[in-house]
Amino acid sequence: MLRRHVAERSGLDWPEMPQSEGADVGVGTAWLIQRVHWEFSSNVKLLCALGGNTSLCLKIQGVQGPGYAFSSGIWPRSIKVLKLQPVHEDDMISLVKKIAGNENRPASIRFPSLPSTRSLQSLSLHVSTISDKLVTTIAESMPCLLELELEDRPWKDLLPHGDLTNAGIQSLRSCNQLKSLSLSRNRQNCQASFKRVNDMGIFLLSEGCKVLESIQLSGFSKVSDAGFASFLHSCKNLKKFEVRNSQSLSDLAFHDLTEAPCSLTELGILSCNLITSETVKKLAFSSNLEVLDLAGCRSVADSSFYSISSLKMLNTLDLAGADITDSGMSTLGRGSAPIRRLSLRGCRRVTDKGISQLLLSGGVIGKTLSSLDLGYMPYVSDKAIHAIAVGGVVITELCIRSCSYVTDSSMEALARKGSLENGSRPIRRLDLFSCVGLSASGLESLQMLKKPLFRGLRWVGIGRACLADKGGSVLSEIYEERPWLTVCTGGCEMGCRDGWEYHGAS
């Protein structure tokens, strides 16, 4: 399928591009190549043929042979945004050096099939290892970068010479035009973090990259409150601040947030166990805050809702795993925060009563909430779902995965949502993964996915439920009736096979 602005292709079976469609691809066009194997080089040449001022975004997903494409020197010169994943550290270092060396050649002998450091604005890499050598090579070769995202998932502890240290972090100061920086180390088979980066490296980075507007850091176990807070006080243009998986970040990092020169619109503090409601209370004066993500902060409690409820610009709130109760839901339900997206996933103390109070207390959220995640909440049952069907008039996305007390009664209520006279909108995405309380045969609930019920439904997840195991013939009828509907029988999160997201079960 080749669309006007976005094309998705497997590197193994691209058709010839018709002249009319190729001419239609212009500035700002994004391309996605999924599950690419090493044989894809001829297809990248196809992208080169577009020429002109085309801006291309290449996201490569696959594990076989991207290095072959790097060594072949066939990238379009006009690329502005380059996303590669996965890629080996040595392959990327080689490519960056080749690009920089080509730029220093006289124009008459310059390779036309390599990106220009002058046009490349954004670089996103999921590499085998983030090391000093990689970061320094990027910083020295591409000082004009505006956006840099690096992520790795090492499977074992790294030796000092192959890891990221303060020296590598410090080298990023040469990218003094950098507006967005993301450095992330995730866990894969072991506890992994940037153990050789401490406050000194972070201080130097925040002082050298003062025009940063977005900073995302994950896995920096040796950085303290002072290091993290340095960004808040050094980067006056900072709009987005996110820290993940830090066991040392505490409320002290935000104690003088009101005196910081920046005006945050997005704040993410994820899986930081020392963060409590005290940090949230400091946000009461953040008049521009639009996104607040506290997922995995288990010490955030009901007392934080008085501050959250007063945030007049807040549209996204994630409280997954927080220690909140029905009382907090009541406070939020009466508040003035115009929240559109809310996650309560894993909030085990919230019950049906709390969900009803959230939506039926007369506050702003009952009129604005369009996406709600109630996954893994053991005390959510049909009563909560019926409250959503009646009170959540604009809710179109609902996750109730692993809610064992949800039955066919909930399915019937949701199926008719959007056909009621209260102006309620129909459900477009519904996650029923592991909802074991649905009928034993699964057929009753599956029948509801057929027309005319669930009008507007575009995605439904039914993995690990009777619906997936025993509804083969009914599913076939649904596919025929609604070819635009994605029925996910795996355990994917909401939205797989939709747009740019990769469906791991395919």
Side-chain angles (χ1 to χ4, degrees):
M1 181 190 300
L2 177 59
R3 304 175 185 171
R4 180 178 178 86
H5 296 296
V6 179
E8 298 184 25
R9 285 285 176 250
S10 163
L12 295 182
D13 64 347
W14 279 11
E16 292 296 323
M17 178 183 291
Q19 181 63 34
S20 59
E21 289 180 318
D24 192 44
V25 180
V27 176
T29 299
W31 283 73
L32 172 68
I33 306 177
Q34 290 192 333
R35 288 183 291 170
V36 174
H37 295 255
W38 66 267
E39 297 95 340
F40 80 177
S41 61
S42 61
N43 294 317
V44 181
K45 289 178 181 177
L46 175 61
L47 299 183
C48 295
L50 294 175
N53 295 318
T54 304
S55 174
L56 301 174
C57 174
L58 305 178
K59 183 179 179 182
I60 301 174
Q61 294 184 325
V63 295
Q64 298 184 32
Y68 172 81
F70 298 158
S71 64
S72 58
I74 53 175
W75 300 103
R77 184 166 175 77
S78 58
I79 289 178
K80 293 183 180 180
V81 180
L82 182 59
K83 297 183 179 182
L84 302 175
Q85 60 170 306
V87 56
H88 194 276
E89 173 198 5
D90 291 337
D91 290 333
M92 198 61 221
I93 290 173
S94 175
L95 177 61
V96 171
K97 287 182 175 180
K98 188 178 295 186
I99 291 173
N102 188 53
E103 202 69 18
N104 295 326
R105 291 171 175 263
S108 59
I109 59 172
R110 191 176 293 161
F111 292 111
S113 55
L114 281 172
S116 166
T117 56
R118 293 185 180 90
S119 64
L120 191 61
Q121 299 175 358
S122 177
L123 182 63
S124 175
L125 306 173
H126 290 198
V127 295
S128 54
T129 305
I130 300 175
S131 65
D132 282 347
K133 186 176 181 181
L134 173 64
V135 173
T136 301
T137 301
I138 292 172
E140 292 177 349
S141 305
M142 301 177 173
C144 297
L145 275 180
L146 300 181
E147 300 177 358
L148 177 61
E149 177 193 359
L150 299 177
E151 178 180 342
D152 71 0
R153 295 187 178 186
W155 60 277
K156 64 179 181 179
D157 287 333
L158 301 174
L159 298 175
H161 69 274
D163 201 1
L164 181 65
T165 71
N166 286 341
I169 288 288
Q170 183 178 347
S171 70
L172 288 172
R173 294 189 302 169
S174 62
C175 299
N176 53 20
Q177 300 180 45
L178 205 60
K179 292 186 177 181
S180 176
L181 176 63
S182 176
L183 299 172
S184 176
R185 175 162 288 173
N186 293 316
R187 299 168 181 148
Q188 182 170 313
N189 302 327
C190 69
Q191 297 290 326
S193 64
F194 296 108
K195 299 177 181 179
R196 297 173 178 88
V197 177
N198 56 31
D199 285 343
M200 182 56 65
I202 297 298
F203 289 150
L204 293 171
L205 176 61
S206 62
E207 284 297 314
C209 297
K210 290 192 173 185
V211 299
L212 278 172
E213 298 177 5
S214 172
I215 181 73
Q216 296 172 268
L217 302 174
S218 176
F220 285 80
S221 59
K222 301 299 181 180
V223 177
S224 71
D225 289 324
F228 290 122
S230 66
F231 289 106
L232 300 173
H233 295 277
S234 297
C235 305
K236 297 181 180 181
N237 299 325
L238 196 65
K239 301 297 182 184
K240 179 176 181 177
F241 180 73
E242 179 178 300
V243 177
R244 292 174 178 259
N245 301 323
S246 172
Q247 303 306 311
S248 56
L249 181 67
S250 73
D251 297 329
L252 290 175
F254 304 94
H255 80 282
D256 57 352
L257 184 60
T258 55
E259 299 176 10
C262 63
S263 180
L264 295 177
T265 59
E266 297 185 38
L267 177 61
I269 312 170
L270 293 84
S271 299
C272 298
N273 294 331
L274 298 182
I275 293 294
T276 73
S277 298
E278 293 304 310
T279 290
V280 183
K281 293 176 183 178
K282 296 291 194 304
L283 301 175
F285 302 101
S286 301
S287 58
N288 295 319
L289 195 65
E290 299 176 5
V291 177
L292 178 59
D293 192 342
L294 299 169
C297 294
R298 300 177 181 177
S299 297
V300 172
D302 288 340
S303 59
S304 64
F305 282 111
Y306 293 101
S307 298
I308 293 174
S309 298
S310 66
L311 297 173
K312 300 293 182 63
M313 300 294 289
L314 190 68
N315 60 62
T316 301
L317 177 63
D318 194 332
L319 295 169
D323 186 30
I324 55 178
T325 69
D326 293 343
S327 175
M329 293 294 97
S330 177
T331 303
L332 187 61
R334 298 192 305 269
S336 56
I339 298 170
R340 296 199 303 265
R341 304 185 66 85
L342 174 64
S343 175
L344 302 173
R345 176 174 294 201
C347 294
R348 302 178 63 84
R349 299 176 67 191
V350 176
T351 70
D352 292 334
K353 180 181 178 181
I355 303 304
S356 297
Q357 291 174 331
L358 175 71
L359 297 172
L360 303 175
S361 295
V364 174
I365 192 171
K367 303 173 184 177
T368 60
L369 190 64
S370 62
S371 177
L372 180 60
D373 188 341
L374 303 179
Y376 303 98
M377 295 174 64
Y379 299 111
V380 166
S381 71
D382 291 336
K383 291 182 180 179
I385 308 305
H386 281 272
I388 292 170
V390 174
V393 291
V394 297
I395 291 179
T396 58
E397 297 184 5
L398 179 63
C399 172
I400 48 177
R401 58 168 45 203
S402 292
C403 291
S404 302
Y405 294 110
V406 170
T407 70
D408 292 340
S409 175
S410 292
M411 283 290 287
E412 184 175 357
L414 294 174
R416 301 186 185 281
K417 188 178 183 297
S419 60
L420 303 177
E421 295 181 356
N422 62 353
S424 180
R425 297 180 185 176
I427 295 291
R428 295 181 64 85
R429 295 182 180 181
L430 179 62
D431 190 348
L432 301 170
F433 175 80
S434 196
C435 285
V436 296
L438 298 176
S439 59
S441 67
L443 296 180
E444 291 183 23
S445 293
L446 267 184
Q447 291 287 352
M448 296 180 199
L449 296 179
K450 299 172 66 176
K451 293 180 178 181
L453 300 177
F454 275 113
R455 66 182 185 87
L457 190 66
R458 292 294 181 269
W459 187 95
V460 60
I462 60 173
R464 290 192 185 177
C466 294
L467 286 74
D469 298 333
K470 301 180 181 180
S473 60
V474 179
L475 281 175
S476 297
E477 295 176 13
I478 294 171
Y479 291 143
E480 185 174 346
E481 277 189 2
R482 293 176 161 170
W484 59 85
L485 175 64
T486 294
V487 180
C488 177
T489 57
C492 302
E493 293 290 343
M494 192 177 295
C496 64
R497 287 183 183 160
D498 181 20
W500 298 91
E501 296 191 44
Y502 174 64
H503 189 271
S506 293

